[in-house]
């Protein structure tokens, strides 16, 4: 491990350069890699030749310390490296199956879906699960939660922690919440996050929602390209941070109704291609009565599959858990001599059965992808 990540530990980086860099929000060697030479030249006013040299030195320094991979590596080394990627359990069997063991570190996972489909609940649940011991499927790490919609609820964290028999106060202490007020602020939080991630053993970064502020600030088609450019910067930064600092990252993205769609699901992810291209994994959440469907849409190595999950006091839960709860409620209701007909409506959840078989989901996602590419001009990387 490299003990010294201070900027002046790099050969040729003296106090003047160190000050220039830290004034621009680049605080350590990791930050140099995350931001890259072009951006560093832009924000510090330094020559690009110089910043390239500095960033190369930083890369060498981290490679020597075993913190990042070499530029040229054999496939077997990559394979070995991938074995060391951390996984965070979702606390459910169904979603763990979908994620092939859990949410991965060094990757950006985009969760998109309509309002109320459980994106925020999922982010809350993962904020608790990442703190579990390694034996229990966690990473014993903390969380940086970027809340752009003011929907972070400590009360939910408390009940999720209690449901998993964890100490709620400790769990709350390990979540650093950054409330972002506008898209520039949201980006700034991430740009400044390096030292916080390092000092607090952050293993999960949440951006909920990653896209909302950009969308509300850049309205109309004329501003689309600027919006996508800025969003591109944010999402790339998030992805690079996840890779460099070995943490998991979740970006949520809403879908919106598209009136020009006649078949399938008339929705598409707001972030468009930018988020889709940058994220390593994309999960589509869809409401289905009281249950939810999660589908792995885009992954370099997972099959395109889907599972059913539910939402409850414990955050995201297995559908069987939800059924047990319903039965319990039913029993209580019967004890109270509630009218038979009422009870039956609660117990029976026929919607779920039908949804599993429906081919609509298939068409849905495809439609989403198609429309998305029609509607958003892809940005040049
Ligand atoms: N304590 C709870 N117990 C059970 N279900 C809950 C609880 N709290 C919230 N929910 C469920 O979570 C849903 C809201 O989910 P969530 O806030 O994650 O949606 P979202 O996808 O983030 O939506 P948006 O796009 O509006 O942000 C509610 O409709 C409800 O079904
Ligand atoms: Mg939400």
């Amino acid at each position: 491990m490299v003990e010294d990540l201070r900027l002046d530990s790099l050969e040729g980086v003296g106090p003047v350069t160190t000050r220039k860099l830290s004034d621009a929000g680049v605080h350590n060697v990791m930050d140099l890699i995350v931001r890259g030479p072009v951006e560093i030249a832009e924000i510090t006013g330094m020559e690009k030749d110089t910043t390239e040299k500095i960033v190369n030195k930083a890369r060498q320094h981290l490679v020597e310390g075993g913190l990042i991979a070499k530029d040229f590596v054999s496939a077997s080394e990559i394979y070995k490296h991938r074995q060391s990627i951390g996984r965070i359990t979702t606390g459910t069997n169904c979603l763990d199956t979908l994620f092939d063991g859990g949410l991965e570190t060094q990757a950006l996972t985009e969760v998109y879906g309509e309002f109320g489909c459980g994106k925020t609940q999922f982010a809350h649940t993962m904020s608790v699960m990442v703190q579990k011991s390694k034996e229990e499927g966690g990473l014993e790490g903390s969380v940086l939660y970027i809340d752009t919609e003011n929907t972070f609820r400590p009360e939910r964290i408390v009940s999720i922690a209690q449901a998993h028999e964890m100490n709620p106060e400790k769990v709350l202490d390990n979540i650093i919440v950054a409330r972002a007020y506008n898209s520039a602020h949201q980006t700034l939080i991430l740009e400044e996050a390096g030292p916080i991630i390092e000092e607090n053993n952050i293993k999960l970064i949440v951006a909920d929602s990653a896209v909302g502020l950009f969308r509300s600030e850049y309205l109309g088609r004329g501003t689309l390209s600027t919006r996508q450019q800025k969003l591109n910067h944010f999402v790339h930064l998030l992805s690079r941070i996840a890779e460099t600092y070995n943490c998991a990252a979740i970006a949520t993205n809403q879908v919106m109704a598209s009136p020009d769609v006649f078949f399938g699901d008339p929705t598409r992810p707001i972030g468009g291609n930018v988020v889709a291209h940058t994220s390593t994994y994309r999960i589509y959440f869809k409401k289905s009565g009281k249950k939810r469907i999660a589908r792995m849409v885009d992954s370099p190595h997972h099959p395109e599959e889907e599972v059913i999950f539910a939402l409850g006091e414990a955050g995201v839960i297995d559908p069987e858990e939800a059924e047990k709860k319903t039965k319990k409620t039913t029993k209580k209701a019967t004890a109270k001599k509630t009218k038979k007909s009422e009870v039956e409506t609660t117990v029976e959840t026929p919607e779920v059965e039908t949804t599993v078989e429906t081919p609509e989901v298939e068409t849905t996602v495809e439609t989403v992808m198609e429309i998305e590419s029609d509607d958003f001009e892809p940005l040049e990387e």
Side-chain angles (χ1 to χ4, degrees):
M1 284 284 285
V2 175
E3 305 293 11
D4 208 349
L5 290 174
R6 287 196 348 253
L7 291 169
D8 55 13
S9 68
L10 293 178
E11 195 195 314
V13 177
V16 178
T17 314
T18 305
R19 210 184 41 241
K20 256 191 216 165
L21 288 168
S22 54
D23 283 351
V26 177
H27 301 293
N28 61 31
V29 179
M30 293 286 216
D31 283 345
L32 287 171
I33 304 286
V34 168
R35 306 291 285 273
V38 177
E39 202 182 311
I40 291 176
E42 248 167 51
I43 56 178
T44 59
M46 282 156 71
E47 291 295 325
K48 208 168 134 263
D49 284 357
T50 317
T51 59
E52 263 170 14
K53 272 186 207 140
I54 296 177
V55 171
N56 277 341
K57 285 222 182 78
R59 186 171 294 115
Q60 260 169 17
H61 192 63
L62 295 178
V63 167
E64 278 160 21
L67 280 184
I68 58 168
K70 285 183 280 193
D71 289 345
F72 296 99
V73 288
S74 67
S76 64
E77 267 182 89
I78 296 179
Y79 183 66
K80 225 192 287 165
H81 183 64
R82 285 197 55 78
Q83 307 291 309
S84 70
I85 283 175
R87 280 201 172 71
I88 310 164
T89 176
T90 62
T92 63
N93 293 324
C94 55
L95 290 170
D96 276 359
T97 308
L98 190 76
F99 282 103
D100 199 14
L103 193 72
E104 276 184 14
T105 62
Q106 295 180 34
L108 169 62
T109 302
E110 178 195 353
V111 180
Y112 70 97
E114 64 179 319
F115 71 92
C117 66
K119 302 179 295 292
T120 300
Q121 298 302 313
F122 175 70
H124 278 67
T125 311
M126 294 316 295
S127 301
V128 177
M129 301 317 290
V130 68
Q131 302 188 34
K132 283 206 165 219
S133 69
K134 292 193 176 147
E135 296 77 53
E136 290 177 304
L139 292 175
E140 291 162 25
S142 313
V143 184
L144 172 62
Y145 198 109
I146 304 175
D147 180 17
T148 73
E149 300 187 318
N150 200 14
T151 50
F152 177 80
R153 292 290 174 275
E155 301 84 343
R156 292 295 297 126
I157 297 292
V158 169
S159 44
I160 296 168
Q162 280 166 343
H164 285 95
E165 291 167 354
M166 293 162 81
N167 179 339
E169 275 151 40
K170 274 197 193 145
V171 171
L172 285 174
D173 279 346
N174 289 329
I175 304 176
I176 298 172
V177 183
R179 171 90 174 92
Y181 294 96
N182 54 56
S183 64
H185 184 209
Q186 175 182 335
T187 308
L188 185 73
I189 289 171
L190 209 51
E191 285 170 350
E192 299 270 313
I196 295 167
I197 296 170
E198 222 189 313
E199 280 157 28
N200 296 282
N201 185 33
I202 302 275
K203 285 286 155 205
L204 171 68
I205 304 172
V206 172
D208 183 29
S209 142
V211 177
L213 290 173
F214 291 94
R215 183 190 167 217
S216 59
E217 287 167 28
Y218 298 92
L219 293 166
R221 281 202 83 81
T223 61
L224 190 65
S225 126
T226 321
R227 181 228 278 178
Q228 294 301 83
Q229 229 168 346
K230 303 231 177 217
L231 181 58
N232 191 21
H233 172 64
F234 176 81
V235 177
H236 265 91
L237 198 59
L238 185 56
S239 159
R240 266 178 284 150
I241 286 179
E243 233 178 282
T244 318
Y245 287 92
N246 191 18
C247 22
I250 299 175
T252 70
N253 187 2
Q254 238 198 14
V255 293
M256 64 178 182
S258 193
D260 49 349
V261 177
F262 298 106
F263 301 105
D265 190 351
T267 55
R268 59 179 159 81
I270 291 163
N273 281 328
V274 169
V275 184
H277 287 168
T278 312
S279 44
T280 325
Y281 304 116
R282 306 187 76 204
I283 314 287
Y284 180 47
F285 279 4
K286 192 174 157 60
K287 285 191 218 168
S288 165
K290 282 185 183 160
K291 300 282 165 65
R292 300 290 187 270
I293 297 168
R295 184 185 178 103
M296 179 66 75
V297 177
D298 201 4
S299 157
H301 65 103
H302 294 86
E304 276 227 4
E305 69 179 316
E306 63 190 41
V307 297
I308 291 176
F309 70 100
L311 299 169
E313 273 302 307
V316 292
I317 55 174
D318 279 310
E320 306 86 58
E321 291 297 314
E323 257 142 46
K324 267 189 229 158
K325 290 256 162 61
T326 321
K327 274 184 194 139
K328 260 191 215 160
T329 331
T330 313
K331 268 188 197 153
K332 268 190 211 158
T334 326
K336 279 186 195 160
K337 292 192 180 142
T338 319
K339 273 183 205 163
K340 198 169 170 276
S341 59
E342 275 175 38
V343 179
E344 260 169 14
T345 38
T346 357
V347 190
E348 281 173 26
T349 40
E351 316 109 74
V352 184
E353 280 305 314
T354 36
T355 341
V356 190
E357 286 157 23
T358 29
E360 292 146 44
V361 183
E362 195 73 36
T363 33
T364 309
V365 179
E366 268 160 26
T367 324
V368 170
M369 307 300 292
E370 270 168 32
I371 299 153
E372 180 192 304
S373 46
D374 277 342
D375 238 37
F376 289 96
E377 315 96 83
L379 283 177
E380 281 175 23
E381 299 282 312

